[in-house]
């Protein structure tokens, strides 16, 4: 382990935390020097990835090690406070989504990163698929003409296996917070600076309109952006989809279209295509090891000395879309 590498701690070492840790360690950009998780089993598995990392019983114990960076993969309700604590200690942060349960929490974290002048990243990983990397220049470079419609779908035939996901106070919401955040991020990433002009939304739990304290397992929303783009967004848990997942991000303009779609119900395999009238051109096909790219990108930027990046405001913009969907869907 080279001491010249940024010293990074990993708070939360469940499956996603370990996967991102392995990607960062394998990149050679950072050194994993500390791990923390309430589960002894999860810690044991993490130690197999980060041999020699110190096991810490709390965030304060980790921060006392004078880390350069902290990777957070804890329950959603903890993300904002843990991120702010790390940033105020002068530690850069890479956090699992959502960064906060609403726009206010996101704003507070981004403000803390700005004050501390520390790098802040969120694991919005679908931006980093080969398919979206191929679609982005078509949208932003004008090949599709004026893009006016975006159709976004993420149906998961399963639901989260941890109880806190179903507690609104802990999770901030259901499938919109869990899956819709990725969809909203893709829409705004390719429409930089756009804001919500209006929303119509319906939220359901068990096939009925969602109650005031429940979390939604199905959501459908039409989001009108102030740049004239209309976004249709649908997401769900445990939908009878006939396959493990249905995932799509389609962009339609005056001169063409493009779409990212999962293959055979896979959560990991995607194609990307460019449409012109009735013809189509394949842009990307599996395999594509994209899951850890957002984490590695943050790690490499940290190693290069990157400080606060104003693009972190995008996290707040995405949170405002989710807040608007919840406001419209809950009446």
């Amino acid at each position: 382990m080279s001491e010249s590498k940024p010293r990074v701690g990993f708070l939360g070492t469940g499956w996603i935390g370990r996967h991102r840790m392995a990607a960062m360690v394998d990149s050679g950009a950072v050194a994993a020097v500390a791990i923390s998780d309430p589960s002894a089993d999860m810690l044991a598995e993490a130690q197999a990835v980060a041999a020699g990392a110190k096991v810490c019983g709390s965030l304060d114990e980790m921060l006392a090690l004078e880390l350069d960076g902290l990777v957070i993969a804890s329950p959603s309700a903890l993300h904002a406070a843990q991120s702010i604590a790390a940033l105020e200690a002068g530690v850069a942060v890479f956090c699992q989504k959502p960064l906060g349960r609403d726009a206010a929490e996101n704003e507070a974290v981004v403000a803390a990163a700005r004050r501390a002048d520390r790098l802040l990243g969120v694991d919005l990983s679908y931006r980093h698929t080969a398919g979206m990397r191929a679609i982005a220049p078509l949208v932003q470079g004008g090949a599709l003409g004026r893009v006016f419609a975006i159709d976004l779908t993420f149906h998961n035939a399963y639901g989260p296996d941890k109880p806190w996901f179903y507690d609104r106070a802990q999770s901030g919401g259901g499938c919109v917070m869990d899956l819709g955040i990725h969809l909203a991020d893709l829409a705004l990433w390719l429409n930089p600076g756009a804001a919500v002009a209006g929303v119509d939304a319906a939220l359901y739990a068990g096939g009925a309109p969602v109650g005031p304290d429940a979390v939604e397992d199905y959501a459908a929303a039409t989001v009108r952006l102030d740049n004239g783009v209309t976004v249709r967004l649908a997401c769900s848990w445990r939908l009878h989809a006939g396959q493990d997942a249905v995932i799509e991000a389609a962009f339609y303009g005056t001169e063409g279209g493009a779409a990212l779609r999962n293959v055979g119900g896979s959560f990991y395999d995607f194609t990307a295509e460019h449409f012109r009238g009735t013809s189509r051109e394949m842009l990307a096909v599996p395999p594509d090891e994209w899951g850890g790219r957002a984490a590695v990108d943050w790690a490499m930027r940290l190693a290069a000395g990157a400080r606060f990046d104003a693009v972190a405001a995008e996290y707040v913009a995405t949170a405002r879309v989710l807040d608007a969907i919840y406001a419209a869907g809950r009446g």
Side-chain angles (χ1 to χ4, degrees), residues 183-323:
L183 304 178
D185 173 66
L186 292 180
L188 293 189
W189 175 49
L190 297 184
N191 286 275
V196 175
V199 177
D200 298 311
L203 306 177
Y204 293 85
V210 70
D213 297 318
V215 297
E216 75 286 352
D217 57 25
Y218 179 88
T222 299
V223 180
R224 295 175 297 281
L225 301 180
D226 61 2
N227 64 352
V229 176
T230 294
V231 180
R232 296 194 302 171
L233 182 154
C235 59
S236 67
W237 293 333
R238 295 184 301 276
L239 191 73
H240 297 284
Q243 56 188 27
D244 288 348
V246 179
I247 307 171
E248 177 176 346
F251 303 82
Y252 298 105
T254 54
E255 303 297 329
L260 176 83
R261 294 189 175 115
N262 68 322
V263 178
S266 174
F267 287 99
Y268 309 106
D269 294 336
F270 294 91
T271 61
E273 295 177 287
H274 181 189
F275 310 133
R276 300 177 186 87
T278 58
S279 68
R280 58 180 60 202
E281 172 192 357
M282 192 66 71
L283 300 173
V285 296
D288 175 31
E289 296 296 328
W290 55 272
R293 283 186 188 143
V296 170
D297 176 71
W298 175 86
M300 295 182 71
R301 292 170 65 200
L302 180 66
R307 296 296 187 112
F308 177 73
D309 188 336
V311 300
E314 294 174 356
Y315 309 142
V316 179
T318 297
R320 286 177 179 149
V321 173
L322 302 192
D323 283 359

